[in-house]
Amino acid sequence: MVEEMKSSVESHILVILPHPDDEAFGISGTLAKHVQNGTQVTYACLTLGEMGRNMGVPPFANRVTLPEIRKKELEESCRAIGIQDLRMLGFHDKTIEFEDQDLLDGHINALLKELNPSVIITFYPGYSVHPDHDATGAAVIRTVGRMPKAERPPVHCIAFANNIEEIGKPKVLNDVRDFLKQKMASIQAHKSQFQAAELLGSKPLEDKEIQDRFGTEHFWIYPFE
Amino acid sequence: MQLINQSEIQERIDLLKDQDLYIHLEMTTGAYAAHFDSTKHPAATFITNAVIRYSHGSISGNGPYRVGLKMLQGWVYSEGLTHYEESETERLILAGHDSQGKLVVSLQLSREPF
């Protein structure tokens, strides 16, 4: 059964992703929609994406300046979406899978205790391509899995690996066509990472091709045992 | 970042020789290489803030450039360098970007840790 995320019932969404820009394509429309409905959103971003390969075209960043540039891009993206609470956890890009799991899980557990979110959004472990994505999702699932069953918030997962048919169809489809302005502003905020002009061309947000491509966001609900 | 000016880089390499330096050396295909094209072999490696000292170093090629640094026991080698950071006068910041602007290789030297 496919369901729309119940816009009105979410009190607090906790987003846990490893890189600035992980929010832009997959979930920014969903978040903007909830923010407009009065939902509180906390975005815990584990790293500053300091090992990213994209430095702008032509390159305006380098390995030394990239972390600070991406931090500012992330803040701009959050403003565009309307995210009220951004936490940068200070881990190093590309190292999440090697981190001390107790340290990672401890950070996530502290957020759960503090915020008591009604839903969590993260990557589906094993189906999210980048090792940092998979390791972040795995840490969230481990930590939530330790909570008593009745207290666990649902975990909505992003997945985009080539083998996602293994986990079936996404269970949550969000129509975000009315929030493409915020979504495009989020994408455009990450200037070092995306060439937004190439993505959009000269097409308006009402264009059918743009709406088909960006207008729906989908999530898998993690099946805890 | 600016396109490499070979003689300027050579001067900077000479200024940094015979002293302890922190190095960042990296090469990457990007984490998505095999996701977009299964025939590609994703690989990446980096080392940050290891301490090295070289007695002789040079830049060669016609662009992209190669840099070799001769240490007491061994070498640092990097190929495919295209850009440098002109505004960094104390540190040497070199990188190689592909035709899409993506970073493929980087070599950085500094007297202070990165």
Side-chain angles (χ1 to χ4, degrees):
Chain A
M1 193 187 77
V2 171
E3 56 181 87
E4 177 95 358
M5 209 195 268
K6 308 278 186 306
S7 312
S8 53
V9 301
E10 300 306 341
S11 56
H12 201 140
I13 299 177
L14 173 59
V15 180
I16 306 177
L17 302 170
H19 311 121
D21 82 13
D22 284 339
E23 80 288 354
F25 283 93
I27 68 169
S28 59
T30 296
L31 296 178
K33 191 172 184 173
H34 282 285
V35 166
Q36 198 182 71
N37 287 329
T39 302
Q40 190 72 20
V41 176
T42 297
Y43 177 10
C45 189
L46 270 60
T47 84
L48 291 177
E50 50 270 77
M51 295 306 296
R53 303 175 67 212
N54 295 322
M55 301 284 172
V57 180
F60 61 82
N62 62 55
R63 266 283 164 273
V64 178
T65 59
L66 192 65
E68 191 58 30
I69 288 172
R70 295 201 68 179
K71 183 179 167 188
K72 293 208 164 68
E73 291 175 347
L74 176 61
E75 289 166 344
E76 191 184 329
S77 167
C78 288
R79 277 194 297 274
I81 297 166
I83 292 171
Q84 305 95 338
D85 180 24
L86 169 65
R87 315 276 181 104
M88 289 176 265
L89 300 193
F91 290 95
H92 193 286
D93 193 11
K94 274 175 131 46
T95 67
I96 304 304
E97 62 182 324
F98 308 111
E99 260 299 350
D100 177 353
Q101 291 192 351
D102 292 340
L103 180 71
L104 272 177
D105 298 2
H107 272 86
I108 293 166
N109 196 40
L111 288 168
L112 293 175
K113 286 234 160 67
E114 178 196 336
L115 305 168
N116 190 26
S118 54
V119 63
I120 299 174
I121 297 178
T122 189
F123 282 109
Y124 204 122
Y127 296 93
S128 297
V129 182
H130 193 297
D132 284 339
H133 296 173
D134 285 335
T136 299
V140 172
I141 297 306
R142 268 198 313 271
T143 306
V144 175
R146 277 191 214 107
M147 297 170 74
K149 216 169 180 173
E151 293 173 22
R152 287 176 200 155
V155 180
H156 290 192
C157 295
I158 314 159
F160 63 103
N162 294 323
N163 58 337
I164 44 173
E165 72 279 1
E166 292 173 17
I167 50 173
K169 294 259 186 278
K171 287 288 193 298
V172 179
L173 297 177
N174 287 336
D175 180 352
V176 300
R177 283 175 297 178
D178 290 340
F179 297 88
L180 289 180
K181 190 169 156 262
Q182 290 92 326
K183 183 166 182 165
M184 292 309 157
S186 163
I187 293 168
Q188 280 165 351
H190 296 287
K191 288 180 190 66
S192 68
Q193 303 303 300
F194 307 128
Q195 271 60 60
E198 282 174 34
L199 283 168
L200 278 171
S202 54
K203 295 194 180 77
L205 296 180
E206 295 75 28
D207 183 84
K208 187 175 181 309
E209 194 188 317
I210 297 286
Q211 297 223 333
D212 287 349
R213 190 161 161 208
F214 298 105
T216 308
E217 296 177 349
H218 46 263
F219 300 87
W220 284 257
I221 300 174
Y222 191 82
F224 286 99
E225 289 301 312
Chain B
M1 298 290 271
Q2 297 74 39
L3 287 171
I4 281 177
N5 172 326
Q6 191 171 358
S7 58
E8 185 159 343
I9 299 304
Q10 185 60 54
E11 274 177 37
R12 293 181 185 215
I13 289 172
D14 291 340
L15 279 172
L16 290 169
K17 73 176 183 182
D18 294 324
Q19 55 199 285
D20 284 350
L21 298 169
Y22 295 91
I23 186 169
H24 173 86
L25 183 65
E26 167 186 4
M27 188 166 172
T28 178
T29 61
Y32 297 96
H35 177 66
F36 293 129
D37 178 354
S38 61
T39 65
K40 292 280 186 332
H41 178 93
T45 189
F46 70 85
I47 183 167
T48 290
N49 289 335
V51 177
I52 69 150
R53 173 192 282 253
Y54 60 89
S55 57
H56 171 82
S58 55
I59 179 166
S60 67
N62 300 308
Y65 296 92
R66 300 176 296 281
V67 165
L69 307 174
K70 187 177 188 183
M71 301 182 293
L72 188 59
Q73 310 199 50
W75 285 86
V76 171
Y77 173 86
S78 187
E79 180 174 9
L81 299 162
T82 55
H83 287 72
Y84 79 115
E85 185 54 56
E86 193 179 29
S87 65
E88 292 270 2
T89 53
E90 295 296 308
R91 306 188 286 195
L92 183 64
I93 309 291
L94 297 171
H97 293 269
D98 66 15
S99 55
Q100 297 172 301
K102 292 179 191 294
L103 184 142
V104 180
V105 59
S106 77
L107 169 60
Q108 304 180 163
L109 298 168
S110 170
R111 297 184 181 102
E112 303 296 326
F114 288 102

